[in-house]
């Protein structure tokens, strides 16, 4: 009834977002992994996703694509799962930061590619990268201060906003990005999720290597 098409678990940060939402909200789904940047990838992607990109989600034969649209659709079809915070101001804030992630942070996305197998001290922190890291830390701190609902996540209970930022948590961990105490606590909460741990284990077990997403340890 629910099927998610995803890319390589090691590299596909957009795939992780709806996958983690489904897992953490206990929504049953099956999945197909399409390894990216291989000879047959383009054909396989276009067969299941109109954009030719993953993730794509199929619900009773109806296809929705693009990570945030999929998360919104899941929130619509499972209102009881409370995928967004309930209070209207918290929900507005959660949507703003989720869209900010979806449409921005290009320095982080380009310079610190998600790679669950990597653990290094990344030293080449440009001004642009440093600005984006500081902005993410500000977002996480502000959420915890302004919306101190019960729970360890940005708005208390796990929400779409956390799914959108989970790949950033992985990147900060992989590249040894230093953050403040509140941000460390938030990262620890995300990293302790069973769903995320099982994604990481599957990512580490994958054999494909996408050279462009492999950063040399330097500095
Ligand atoms: N805006 C899209 C981005 C999707 C995207 O770029 N997916 C990558 C994998 S993480 C992809 O399918 N790449 C394959 C390709 O471009 O050929 C989303 O949020 O889902």
């Amino acid at each position: 009834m629910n099927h998610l098409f995803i890319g390589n678990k090691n590299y596909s940060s957009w795939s992780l977002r709806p996958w983690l939402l489904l897992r953490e909200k206990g929504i049953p789904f099956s999945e197909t992994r399409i390894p990216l940047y291989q000879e047959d990838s383009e054909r396989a992607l276009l067969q299941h996703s109109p954009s030719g990109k993953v993730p794509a989600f199929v619900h009773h034969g109806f296809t929705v694509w693009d990570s945030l649209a999929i998360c919104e659709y899941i929130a619509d079809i499972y209102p009881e799962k409370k995928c967004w915070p309930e209070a209207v101001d918290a929900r507005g804030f959660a949507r703003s930061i989720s869209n900010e992630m979806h449409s921005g942070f290009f320095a982080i996305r380009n310079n610190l590619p998600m790679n669950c197998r990597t653990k290094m001290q990344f030293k080449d922190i440009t001004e642009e990268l440093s600005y984006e890291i500081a902005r993410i830390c500000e977002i996480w701190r502000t959420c915890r201060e302004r919306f101190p609902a019960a729970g360890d996540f940005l708005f208390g209970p796990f929400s779409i906003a956390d799914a959108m930022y989970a790949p950033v948590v992985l990147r900060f961990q992989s590249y040894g990005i230093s953050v403040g105490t509140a941000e460390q606590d938030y990262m620890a909460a995300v990293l302790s999720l069973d769903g995320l741990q099982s994604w990481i284990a599957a990512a580490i077990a994958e054999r494909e290597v996408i050279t462009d997403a492999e950063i040399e340890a330097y500095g």
Side-chain angles (χ1 to χ4, degrees):
M1 154 180 109
N2 289 323
H3 194 83
L4 188 68
F5 290 90
I6 59 173
N8 309 56
K9 286 189 170 165
N10 194 47
Y11 302 110
S12 183
S13 61
W14 295 115
S15 300
L16 168 57
R17 291 166 167 116
W19 187 96
L20 191 59
L21 180 68
L22 289 163
R23 267 296 291 259
E24 291 310 317
K25 292 298 180 185
I27 298 168
F29 69 105
S30 49
E31 64 190 71
T32 298
R33 196 181 74 100
I34 303 177
L36 302 173
Y37 305 112
Q38 304 213 337
E39 219 171 278
D40 193 41
S41 304
E42 194 180 343
R43 188 203 55 79
L45 287 166
L46 280 167
Q47 202 178 332
H48 302 289
S49 171
S51 63
K53 293 187 190 300
V54 277
F57 181 63
V58 183
H59 175 66
H60 288 297
F62 178 70
T63 301
V64 182
W65 64 98
D66 206 293
S67 58
L68 191 49
I70 296 170
C71 291
E72 289 278 11
Y73 183 77
I74 292 167
D76 283 345
I77 58 175
Y78 294 102
E80 74 283 7
K81 297 291 184 183
K82 299 185 182 3
C83 293
W84 288 115
E86 281 189 279
V88 76
D89 57 343
R91 197 157 68 240
F93 205 95
R95 282 204 163 102
S96 297
I97 63 163
S98 297
N99 279 277
E100 187 175 344
M101 174 74 251
H102 191 247
S103 62
F105 297 114
F106 293 104
I108 289 179
R109 274 150 65 175
N110 294 335
N111 293 290
L112 307 177
M114 191 178 96
N115 184 340
C116 302
R117 295 193 284 248
T118 284
K119 192 119 181 67
M120 67 162 77
Q121 192 59 51
F122 186 88
K123 294 273 172 55
D124 191 14
I125 309 278
T126 60
E127 207 177 310
E128 206 187 356
L129 200 46
S130 161
Y131 177 84
E132 290 188 3
I133 292 167
R135 172 65 191 141
I136 296 229
C137 289
E138 181 185 39
I139 289 173
W140 292 351
R141 271 195 320 271
T142 307
C143 288
R144 297 297 294 147
E145 283 162 16
R146 274 188 64 177
F147 306 99
D152 295 331
F153 299 99
L154 295 175
F155 298 88
F158 186 88
S159 77
I160 290 174
D162 302 294
M164 291 307 289
Y165 281 90
V168 179
V169 169
L170 288 180
R171 286 165 153 126
F172 281 10
Q173 179 185 247
S174 289
Y175 298 105
I177 304 298
S178 48
V179 297
T181 316
E183 299 91 291
Q184 281 172 30
D185 290 348
Y186 173 64
M187 287 175 59
V190 173
L191 288 166
S192 71
L193 291 168
D194 285 350
L196 192 60
Q197 284 304 320
S198 81
W199 176 280
I200 293 170
I204 290 171
E206 289 177 346
R207 286 289 148 253
E208 303 93 0
V209 173
I210 299 178
T211 320
D212 284 354
E214 297 289 334
I215 306 286
E216 295 280 319
Y218 59 87

